[in-house]
Amino acid sequence: MANWALVIGHGELVIGNWELGTNRKQSTANRKQKTENSQQSTVNSQQSTVNRQQKTENSQQKTENSQQKTVNSQQSTDNT
């Protein structure tokens, strides 16, 4: 722990201490957290893309199902 004294303004004295090691560790932890956040953001973006693709496929499947129901209904009408 390093002690420091700072004279500011018109001679006011501010006294305290500064734990250099703690600040360095916190800076390292902050950088790691930013990296993890960035990676998670990338994963989230990729998942959003997959979700959009799945919604598109689901919509296409619903359209095909509807078309098949129409064909089935027409065949049923033709059979009667």
Side-chain angles (χ1 to χ4, degrees):
M1 184 182 333
N3 291 323
W4 54 264
L6 175 64
V7 178
I8 58 174
H10 297 287
E12 298 93 348
L13 182 63
V14 180
I15 300 173
N17 57 61
W18 185 20
E19 297 183 28
L20 292 173
T22 299
N23 289 343
R24 285 192 200 104
K25 288 177 186 175
Q26 188 60 52
S27 292
T28 299
N30 289 349
R31 280 194 302 277
K32 287 180 181 178
Q33 188 62 55
K34 284 182 181 178
T35 299
E36 290 173 9
N37 290 351
S38 177
Q39 291 169 339
Q40 187 61 52
S41 178
T42 299
V43 169
N44 290 350
S45 177
Q46 291 169 339
Q47 187 62 51
S48 290
T49 298
V50 169
N51 290 349
R52 280 193 301 275
Q53 291 169 338
Q54 188 62 53
K55 284 181 181 179
T56 299
E57 290 174 11
N58 290 347
S59 178
Q60 290 170 340
Q61 187 62 52
K62 284 180 181 179
T63 299
E64 290 173 11
N65 290 348
S66 177
Q67 290 170 341
Q68 187 60 51
K69 283 181 182 179
T70 300
V71 169
N72 290 348
S73 176
Q74 289 171 344
Q75 288 176 344
S76 176
T77 300
D78 291 344
N79 290 338
T80 57

